[in-house]
Amino acid sequence: MADVLFFFMENNARRTEREFRPRLEIGGVRDIDFVNRYRVNRTTAQELVELLGQDLARSERGGKTISPETKILVSLRFLAKGAFYSELADTHGISRSSVSRTVHNFVESVNNNLDNIRFPIDREDVVKEKRAFYNKCRLPNLVGAVDGTLIPITTPTVDEEVYVCRKGYHAINCQAIVNTSLKFISVVAKWPGSTHDGAVFENSRIKGHLDATANVVLLGDSGYALSPSLLTPIMNPRSQQEERYNRRHKRGREVVERGFGILKSRFRCLHRSGGVLPYKPHQCAALFVACCRLHNLLMDNGEEQEVDADVIEEDDNNDDPVEVVLNQRGAAVRDYYVNLN
């Protein structure tokens, strides 16, 4: 009996000791390790504390509090690596049960407080984007390039089959428009992985805006339908002019490919190398949007990130061509672009 009592006392002591482990703060990580571990520098992390701190300063269950700094570090580490909850808990001195709540609170706070995904509406902003794209690929009236990317998720419990993407795993299909600064200016994250890129765009609000706005054009790959406001490549170019157009089109559209590449290289939880997001589809969608907002903040702060080779290879999400019935108005606009000098 005494041995049993000692066993329980010893285990209780261990649990008590575990609850009071030192918690990691921003100043507790060496500079050389900070960016590698969290994918942001210390200055940006402190900026997030100032921006989100009040929102994140909530008491945890049992009256224990986790500082906003620790919550931000835990969440950034998860986004950067897609790490196991046990590793995150041990590294940052919190319980495993707190990790999930911490990540969800962080994602919600980022989406509520960081409003930096904006499609150009004002004339000055539109002209600025058009000029930047023209300098890049010599095509006028462009403001962005659109594409979709697959985000791996755990098997959903509802409508599981519609989340199986063409590559055979469960995913959500997220659409984004990227500008020449490699920033996300429009994001749609709500569609199952089996949804075609073209269908996502056709049902997006941005398409309605473009249809109602003259001389504002996007570039898209052959998974989209050609229209006056969305230019696609020519599948079988038959002249030097058409080949030149395709080269210019590719040069302009590469911004969205590079944008996704940087995003997934920086936030490995979005890439298959980081496992799958262990949440419900709508929670995974919110996390993707939060990553896009953080990406834009980091681009504004001049924080560079190389695109990893495995991300370039993996993120080949080109759909089968959909240009079966030619859009006559779209074809006329594309012909105009083909014949530009």
Side-chain angles (χ1 to χ4, degrees), residues 2-32:
D3 290 341
V4 174
L5 179 61
F6 176 77
F7 174 80
F8 280 110
M9 290 176 64
E10 185 180 34
N11 278 348
N12 285 336
R14 288 175 180 172
R15 282 196 294 268
T16 300
E17 181 182 356
R18 185 177 181 85
E19 290 174 357
F20 291 98
R21 288 169 302 182
R23 287 176 177 166
L24 199 58
E25 305 289 350
I26 289 177
V29 183
R30 296 184 307 167
D31 287 338
I32 195 172

Side-chain angles (χ1 to χ4, degrees), residues 125-139:
D125 294 333
V126 172
V127 170
K128 178 181 177 181
E129 295 291 357
K130 288 182 177 182
R131 183 179 296 117
F133 264 103
Y134 186 79
N135 290 337
K136 180 176 180 59
C137 63
R138 314 307 291 178
L139 295 177

Side-chain angles (χ1 to χ4, degrees), residues 56-329:
L56 295 175
R58 302 170 182 171
S59 296
E60 295 296 308
R61 295 174 184 174
K64 301 299 181 181
T65 60
I66 301 175
S67 73
E69 285 192 16
T70 299
K71 289 183 177 181
I72 288 170
L73 292 182
V74 168
S75 302
L76 288 175
R77 178 63 177 175
F78 175 77
L79 299 183
K81 295 293 185 180
F84 292 109
Y85 283 177
S86 56
E87 177 195 339
L88 292 169
D90 290 340
T91 302
H92 297 87
I94 66 175
S95 66
R96 286 184 60 186
S97 61
S98 295
V99 172
S100 180
R101 293 194 302 273
T102 293
V103 173
H104 287 310
N105 289 343
F106 175 80
V107 166
E108 181 181 11
S109 186
V110 168
N111 286 332
N112 287 339
N113 293 283
L114 195 56
D115 181 21
N116 61 358
I117 298 177
R118 301 190 187 97
F119 194 83
I121 300 296
D122 296 339
R123 183 180 182 278
E124 182 178 351
D125 294 333
V126 172
V127 170
K128 178 181 177 181
E129 295 291 357
K130 288 182 177 182
R131 183 179 296 117
F133 264 103
Y134 186 79
N135 290 337
K136 180 176 180 59
C137 63
R138 314 307 291 178
L139 295 177
N141 293 330
L142 304 181
V143 297
V146 62
D147 204 355
T149 192
L150 296 169
I151 307 302
I153 66 173
T154 192
T155 304
T157 57
V158 179
D159 297 328
E160 172 269 335
E161 66 281 357
V162 302
Y163 287 92
V164 179
C165 69
R166 68 184 184 88
K167 296 185 178 182
Y169 58 86
H170 295 92
I172 54 174
N173 188 2
C174 298
Q175 173 186 287
I177 300 173
V178 178
N179 64 12
T180 56
S181 299
L182 304 180
K183 292 176 61 178
F184 296 98
I185 59 175
S186 175
V187 173
V188 177
K190 63 179 181 179
W191 292 90
S194 64
T195 311
H196 196 283
D197 283 356
V200 176
F201 182 76
E202 288 295 320
N203 289 279
S204 66
R205 292 182 179 179
I206 200 68
K207 180 182 184 299
H209 170 75
L210 292 169
D211 289 344
T213 308
N215 298 322
V216 175
V217 179
L218 300 180
L219 297 179
D221 62 25
S222 56
Y224 295 93
L226 174 67
S227 74
S229 57
L230 200 165
L231 297 179
T232 59
I234 296 173
M235 296 301 297
N236 297 297
R238 299 178 180 178
S239 66
Q240 291 184 352
Q241 289 85 353
E242 290 183 347
E243 291 176 350
R244 180 181 61 191
Y245 164 81
N246 274 0
R247 289 194 300 269
R248 291 175 173 179
H249 186 283
K250 181 178 180 180
R251 197 180 311 139
R253 193 173 61 83
E254 71 181 10
V255 298
V256 69
E257 297 173 348
R258 182 161 174 78
F260 280 142
I262 293 173
L263 183 75
K264 289 190 174 184
S265 296
R266 176 175 275 139
F267 300 122
R268 281 282 173 163
C269 71
L270 302 177
H271 188 260
R272 294 190 72 188
S273 62
V276 298
L277 293 178
Y279 309 124
K280 296 178 180 179
H282 74 275
Q283 294 171 322
C284 297
L287 186 146
F288 176 82
V289 175
C291 287
C292 292
R293 296 185 190 279
L294 291 170
H295 166 94
N296 283 358
L297 174 66
L298 294 168
M299 298 304 291
D300 284 338
N301 289 352
E303 294 198 45
E304 297 183 357
Q305 170 69 48
E306 293 297 324
V307 179
D308 297 333
D310 62 324
V311 172
I312 296 174
E313 180 179 355
E314 171 68 20
D315 199 34
D316 179 17
N317 189 35
N318 293 327
D319 284 304
D320 295 330
V322 298
E323 195 176 327
V324 179
V325 179
L326 190 64
N327 181 302
Q328 295 299 325
R329 291 182 59 226

